Amino acid sequence: IMQRRLTSSIQAITRSLERRREWLKPLLKLPELIRSDAGYQAISSMDEEEFEDLPESERWEIEKKREQLTTARNISDVKAEIEQLNGLIEDAKKVRAQEIESKLVKLRDEILAQLEGRKLLIFTEHKDTLWYLVEKLQAWRYQVNFIHGDMSLDARIEAERIFREQTQVLVATEAAGEGINLQFCSLMVNYDIPWNPNRLEQRMGRIHRYGQQHEVFIWNLVSQDTREGQILDRLFEKLGRMQVELGTDRVFDVIGEIIPGTSLSSLLKEAIFGQRQMEEIEAQIAQVDLQQTRRTLERLFMSALATRHIDYTDLQVKSYQAEENRLMPEYVEDFTLRGLKRFGGKYTPLKVGYRLDSVPFELRQVGEDYGFKRRYGPVHRDYRLVTFDKQVAHKQPEYEFIAPGHPLLEALNETIVRELRQSTGPFAVFHDPEGGRRGALWFVTGEVRDGLGRVAGQRVFALLQGLDGTVQALNPAVLWDLEPALAQTVPAEIAKLIRERRFIEDYLVGEVLLPYREEIARRREHDAQIKERYGLRSLDYLIQESNQKLLEYDRRTVAGEKMELAIRNERRVLEQLEGRRRELQREILLERNLTIEEPQIIGVAAVAQLRSERATELPQEPTGRSMRDEEIEAVGMKIASAYEEAQGWRVEDVSQERHGGFDLRSMRFREDGSLAGIRYIEVKARARSGEIRISANEWKKARHFGEDYWLYVVTGAGTAAPELTRIHNPAARFVEGQDIYTTGFRIPEDNWRNQGEQQQ
């Protein structure tokens, strides 16, 4: 009944014994409550693996009930058990007072000495042990706080914040393994080892994950003078040797996969209850085969598939393209700061990032909603240090990283959307500073789902419906290049386009969403073939392997060995594998079945001609010939592309693609085909010469890509002798104008010529 407590700390054992004694004492007066056979059988017969998979709160409740189980039949039995408990409690207190518990000594004398400004996370199985460790750490003069399963979500989030900003050590139960970001921590101790290897891996994953900037150290504390400790010590020793020989620490991810014939929890249970000799269990661990483990790792992590079927050059290019299309932090930064200012918030720019001095009440009120708080967390009154740059947040953990999903940004989104829904106008009015766009600019969410009901693809599309009836797909970021026209009257022809929205809805389905569905279908078909070829084949191999094990166990049974437990466990494994194969087949079939959801129009902008638009145009220049703007731009693109190709770079015209902000993507490759460099080039062409204008979106891309961004200015595009001036990293060379958030800024000719290098 007490099997889990017997493997924990002296403090946990002591408190468990004391609670049990307190529960038994009233039975001396109420003998009719001494035992309930039904409850005894239900709790004591629970499978340990089933118990380990339960949420923390349910495990604690069952442990509480286990403490109250007794085999006593009468008052004499109860008295005898209380007397025995008195002796055990006294012995436990004496041991605890000596502070000779090996794990506690290891923690105090060796691990804590390595803090040196870093943060330490200590995991334990039991709340009793948590309180004991908190008490000891405070007595040793460490700053410490805690997280356990009885705490509300708000309290856990607050504990995480305190750990990040104030304390050195966090003591936690499994509750810290769910929904809490602890990536700023790089030291971890498993004070108790869970019997379920998956939970051990989940703990490690709280800090040992993508984006971690420091080398991670994890200590698994095991008392070697216990049955549990002996098994775990042998197992970790074996895994340590395999880690060196295989050259990977992933062996610790597959503890439950590589022990022949049983599971880790079964081994521990058999050892503690004396069902098997320790020598027999150690021999079974010794049977773990190096090559078999290698094959297990390859199956589980599909390393063979990765090395054979991934085009790494293509992967590099796709990673750059993903970076081009993602929501850049510059957008988030501008939106957040303008939104805070709109609602009366205050912030102070710092050398790195910002200090948010005052968060408006409207935003904090949104954060008080329970559903919002459970999903994102609370919104605070102020934030000491924030950044919109992921690299800054990784290198300086004291900074809070604001990105989609952060409670402040999500509260700002909700507040703005709610306010706009209550506004009287049906749409917003903008104008194009460059004068090239007029009409209705539709923003639509398109979604494709598979047969499992899951979202296979979701994208925001921007469509400009012109006055002549044509429809042009644009990058949604085009909105950054338009200027709000708050007092502008909407021309009747644009208002008519917006009212007659049926046309754009039909166009969306036939010309936008069907091609989008085909794009996703091609990707899904590729993935399905990989799953069929390698996922099903891998499961077939495991099923065959499991059947072979059962045949071997049958042979050993005939030879006189006791294999009942191993056979029972392996049959359960086989059933699970066969079920996984059936489920994977069904999943592959349904993932190929794609349907288009009804498009949702999320907004429309009237792009009108500003009455005073002439005043905003660039100075007119005499060209000496009659050329349209499109022809001038085409000359500029041709000159810029020819220069890149002459330098050995491969050029793509991406001026019409979704990312916006630059016209050419230029790449250089090494002899082995790998990507050696990339340039994002914005081309500005002038018929003769003059100042140039950078749009807000182009400026954001320049800030984001930095050293990889170039501004190519082609002058004399309307003459027989055009010239190219190249400006590297313009965001580092030009001072941002005050109106960059809305209209961009202009660069006089003297300025851009002084910062560029001229090419003939």
Side-chain angles (χ1 to χ4, degrees):
I1 294 171
M2 303 294 290
Q3 61 196 55
R4 297 302 285 120
R5 291 291 184 185
L6 292 173
T7 62
S8 188
S9 68
I10 296 297
Q11 172 66 11
I13 293 172
T14 305
R15 288 294 300 125
S16 184
L17 293 172
E18 288 174 340
R19 284 194 295 268
R20 181 170 180 79
R21 181 179 61 183
E22 294 308 307
W23 180 82
L24 285 172
K25 285 180 178 179
L27 299 185
L28 297 175
K29 299 179 180 179
L30 301 168
E32 66 274 10
L33 299 179
I34 286 179
R35 179 174 172 183
S36 171
D37 285 309
Y40 181 88
Q41 292 296 330
I43 298 175
S44 63
S45 62
M46 175 173 287
D47 181 82
E48 193 62 30
E49 290 186 7
E50 178 186 351
F51 174 78
E52 287 287 340
D53 287 336
L54 293 174
E56 181 179 279
S57 58
E58 294 184 32
R59 292 201 309 273
W60 284 1
E61 186 63 29
I62 290 173
E63 284 194 356
K64 180 180 177 181
K65 292 178 180 178
R66 283 177 169 177
E67 289 176 353
Q68 298 174 359
L69 297 178
T70 177
T71 58
R73 295 288 183 177
N74 50 51
I75 290 179
S76 297
D77 290 343
V78 174
K79 289 180 178 178
E81 186 171 347
I82 291 175
E83 190 63 31
Q84 188 177 23
L85 286 169
N86 288 335
L88 291 171
I89 291 169
E90 288 304 312
D91 290 341
K93 287 181 177 179
K94 291 177 183 177
V95 173
R96 187 180 61 186
Q98 296 177 40
E99 291 194 351
I100 59 173
E101 186 177 352
S102 59
K103 293 195 287 187
L104 188 67
V105 172
K106 179 80 173 179
L107 175 65
R108 181 190 62 197
D109 296 347
E110 297 186 33
I111 299 174
L112 289 170
Q114 302 187 42
L115 277 182
E116 297 179 352
R118 298 170 76 174
K119 293 185 181 289
L120 172 65
L121 170 63
I122 302 176
F123 268 114
T124 181
E125 288 281 275
H126 309 291
K127 195 159 53 173
D128 294 329
T129 308
L130 180 145
W131 294 128
Y132 177 61
L133 290 174
V134 168
E135 178 186 331
K136 288 296 180 185
L137 287 161
Q138 290 174 338
W140 297 337
R141 304 298 178 89
Y142 288 97
Q143 296 173 311
V144 58
N145 65 322
F146 53 85
I147 292 177
H148 58 74
D150 286 343
M151 296 169 62
S152 67
L153 179 63
D154 286 353
R156 279 183 258 172
I157 293 173
E158 178 64 14
E160 178 228 321
R161 186 189 67 80
I162 292 172
F163 181 38
R164 182 178 64 249
E165 298 180 0
Q166 301 175 23
T167 64
Q168 300 165 280
V169 184
L170 176 72
V171 185
T173 60
E174 298 295 333
E178 302 172 359
I180 305 295
N181 178 17
L182 299 173
Q183 198 168 332
F184 54 85
C185 174
S186 58
L187 306 177
M188 192 179 89
V189 169
N190 285 308
Y191 199 82
D192 304 314
I193 307 298
W195 285 14
N196 185 337
N198 291 332
R199 282 175 49 213
L200 183 61
E201 169 61 14
Q202 287 168 4
R203 289 181 179 182
M204 295 179 179
R206 299 315 303 161
I207 64 173
H208 190 211
R209 60 198 299 183
Y210 177 78
Q212 173 61 258
Q213 298 296 302
H214 302 283
E215 186 176 8
V216 171
F217 291 89
I218 297 176
W219 290 268
N220 295 310
L221 299 188
V222 175
S223 297
Q224 293 177 301
D225 56 353
T226 65
R227 290 295 182 91
E228 177 194 45
Q230 291 174 37
I231 292 175
L232 291 172
D233 182 56
R234 297 291 187 278
L235 183 58
F236 284 135
E237 180 184 351
K238 178 79 174 181
L239 291 173
R241 291 198 302 269
M242 295 172 70
Q243 176 187 15
V244 173
E245 294 180 38
L246 292 174
T248 175
D249 60 2
R250 300 308 297 266
V251 293
F252 291 95
D253 297 350
V254 292
I255 295 175
E257 298 279 342
I258 61 179
I259 303 173
T262 189
S263 64
L264 176 60
S265 60
S266 297
L267 283 183
L268 294 168
K269 188 175 181 180
E270 291 164 10
I272 290 173
F273 288 102
Q275 295 174 330
R276 295 173 67 186
Q277 296 295 319
M278 281 300 300
E279 293 78 7
E280 182 184 353
I281 294 175
E282 290 178 6
Q284 185 170 351
I285 293 174
Q287 293 175 17
V288 176
D289 178 66
L290 180 67
Q291 295 306 318
Q292 176 63 35
T293 303
R294 188 193 303 275
R295 290 192 294 271
T296 300
L297 286 168
E298 288 179 352
R299 288 197 308 271
L300 292 176
F301 304 111
M302 301 186 77
S303 59
L305 174 63
T307 55
R308 290 176 56 191
H309 290 270
I310 291 180
D311 181 340
Y312 288 101
T313 300
D314 184 60
L315 188 62
Q316 277 184 293
V317 173
K318 281 184 167 55
S319 69
Y320 278 108
Q321 292 173 349
E323 180 67 16
E324 295 164 14
N325 286 293
R326 78 182 182 91
L327 178 64
M328 298 189 311
E330 288 77 11
Y331 295 130
V332 177
E333 179 179 350
D334 286 353
F335 175 79
T336 303
L337 297 180
R338 293 173 66 193
L340 282 173
K341 188 175 180 180
R342 165 68 178 78
F343 291 106
K346 297 179 181 179
Y347 61 88
T348 302
L350 305 174
K351 186 175 181 181
V352 177
Y354 299 86
R355 180 178 68 248
L356 305 187
D357 305 292
S358 173
V359 175
F361 172 76
E362 293 96 325
L363 306 186
R364 288 186 278 114
Q365 191 175 35
V366 172
E368 289 301 313
D369 178 76
Y370 179 77
F372 179 95
K373 192 180 297 185
R374 183 171 183 82
R375 185 173 183 183
Y376 301 112
V379 179
H380 300 298
R381 289 179 175 273
D382 56 69
Y383 293 84
R384 187 169 59 91
L385 293 172
V386 302
T387 181
F388 301 89
D389 188 328
K390 185 186 294 184
Q391 297 305 316
V392 172
H394 283 165
K395 293 176 182 177
Q396 302 184 54
E398 65 273 19
Y399 276 82
E400 193 154 347
F401 178 47
I402 296 182
H406 187 280
L408 175 61
L409 180 58
E410 297 302 332
L412 186 60
N413 287 335
E414 287 200 16
T415 305
I416 289 175
V417 170
R418 183 174 63 243
E419 183 178 272
L420 291 177
R421 282 174 179 162
Q422 295 171 352
S423 65
T424 56
F427 43 78
V429 183
F430 293 83
H431 79 275
D432 182 359
E434 296 183 351
R437 301 184 180 98
R438 291 184 66 193
L441 181 59
W442 301 88
F443 292 87
V444 187
T445 299
E447 185 175 277
V448 176
R449 288 183 176 267
D450 61 20
L452 294 167
R454 297 186 301 214
V455 176
Q458 189 178 59
R459 183 178 292 175
V460 174
F461 298 91
L463 301 172
L464 179 64
Q465 185 180 7
L467 300 181
D468 59 357
T470 61
V471 179
Q472 179 187 6
L474 298 174
N475 172 18
V478 67
L479 199 60
W480 288 99
D481 290 339
L482 303 178
E483 295 183 6
L486 300 180
Q488 181 71 22
T489 301
V490 181
E493 60 268 28
I494 298 180
K496 181 180 178 182
L497 292 178
I498 295 174
R499 288 195 302 271
E500 297 173 355
R501 58 192 296 168
R502 184 66 186 175
F503 171 80
I504 202 69
E505 290 173 344
D506 293 340
Y507 182 92
L508 271 167
V509 174
E511 302 298 326
V512 177
L513 294 184
L514 282 176
Y516 181 48
R517 178 190 176 280
E518 292 306 311
E519 174 190 332
I520 295 172
R522 288 191 295 271
R523 187 168 65 242
R524 278 296 178 98
E525 180 61 29
H526 176 265
D527 294 344
Q529 290 178 10
I530 291 176
K531 287 184 178 182
E532 287 175 337
R533 187 177 305 172
Y534 297 99
L536 292 178
R537 183 181 299 176
S538 180
L539 286 169
D540 287 339
Y541 178 88
L542 291 172
I543 289 170
Q544 180 184 359
E545 190 178 63
S546 182
N547 279 314
Q548 288 295 118
K549 286 182 180 180
L550 287 172
L551 289 174
E552 174 63 15
Y553 296 157
D554 287 340
R555 184 191 65 77
R556 291 167 64 177
T557 300
V558 173
E561 293 187 50
K562 294 182 178 180
M563 301 299 298
E564 292 85 356
L565 182 61
I567 290 173
R568 186 165 64 250
N569 287 336
E570 194 58 45
R571 283 176 177 165
R572 183 168 55 192
V573 169
L574 180 59
E575 290 176 2
Q576 292 172 346
L577 289 172
E578 290 173 339
R580 283 165 56 189
R581 192 187 192 284
R582 289 191 298 271
E583 183 60 28
L584 181 58
Q585 280 185 307
R586 174 179 174 273
E587 180 181 296
I588 293 171
L589 176 65
L590 294 177
E591 283 182 345
R592 283 183 162 123
N593 183 16
L594 299 174
T595 57
I596 298 172
E597 296 294 296
E598 182 178 354
Q600 300 295 318
I601 297 176
I602 56 177
V604 58
V607 184
Q609 182 176 358
L610 194 66
R611 293 191 187 91
S612 58
E613 189 173 356
R614 176 63 59 183
T616 69
E617 293 179 351
L618 297 179
Q620 298 299 301
E621 50 174 334
T623 63
R625 55 176 293 192
S626 176
M627 292 183 69
R628 298 192 310 274
D629 290 344
E630 298 83 20
E631 292 176 311
I632 296 294
E633 291 172 2
V635 171
M637 293 284 284
K638 182 178 179 180
I639 295 296
S641 298
Y643 175 84
E644 288 296 293
E645 290 170 353
Q647 304 301 313
W649 292 66
R650 186 186 303 172
V651 187
E652 296 178 72
D653 181 347
V654 294
S655 56
Q656 301 302 314
E657 291 190 8
R658 291 178 52 79
H659 50 68
F662 55 93
D663 296 315
L664 300 175
R665 182 193 299 120
S666 186
M667 296 176 287
R668 182 165 57 86
F669 295 87
R670 300 184 181 91
E671 291 184 3
D672 63 0
S674 61
L675 186 62
I678 190 165
R679 290 173 179 164
Y680 301 106
I681 302 171
E682 174 61 29
V683 180
K684 299 295 180 182
R686 302 289 297 187
R688 287 291 182 89
S689 190
E691 71 175 22
I692 59 174
R693 177 184 182 275
I694 300 291
S695 74
N697 194 40
E698 291 160 1
W699 180 248
K700 286 179 173 61
K701 294 289 186 181
R703 287 167 53 197
H704 181 73
F705 290 114
E707 291 292 319
D708 292 330
Y709 196 93
W710 292 75
L711 180 61
Y712 282 17
V713 183
V714 178
T715 53
T719 71
E723 293 180 344
L724 170 64
T725 300
R726 301 165 68 241
I727 303 169
H728 183 214
N729 194 3
R733 297 176 183 271
F734 301 117
V735 177
E736 184 174 343
Q738 294 298 316
D739 58 348
I740 186 64
Y741 297 125
T742 54
T743 63
F745 64 95
R746 294 168 174 79
I747 308 174
E749 182 174 357
D750 289 344
N751 288 9
W752 63 254
R753 284 196 182 276
N754 290 336
Q755 295 294 342
E757 54 184 58
Q758 192 170 4
Q759 309 292 328
Q760 296 298 326

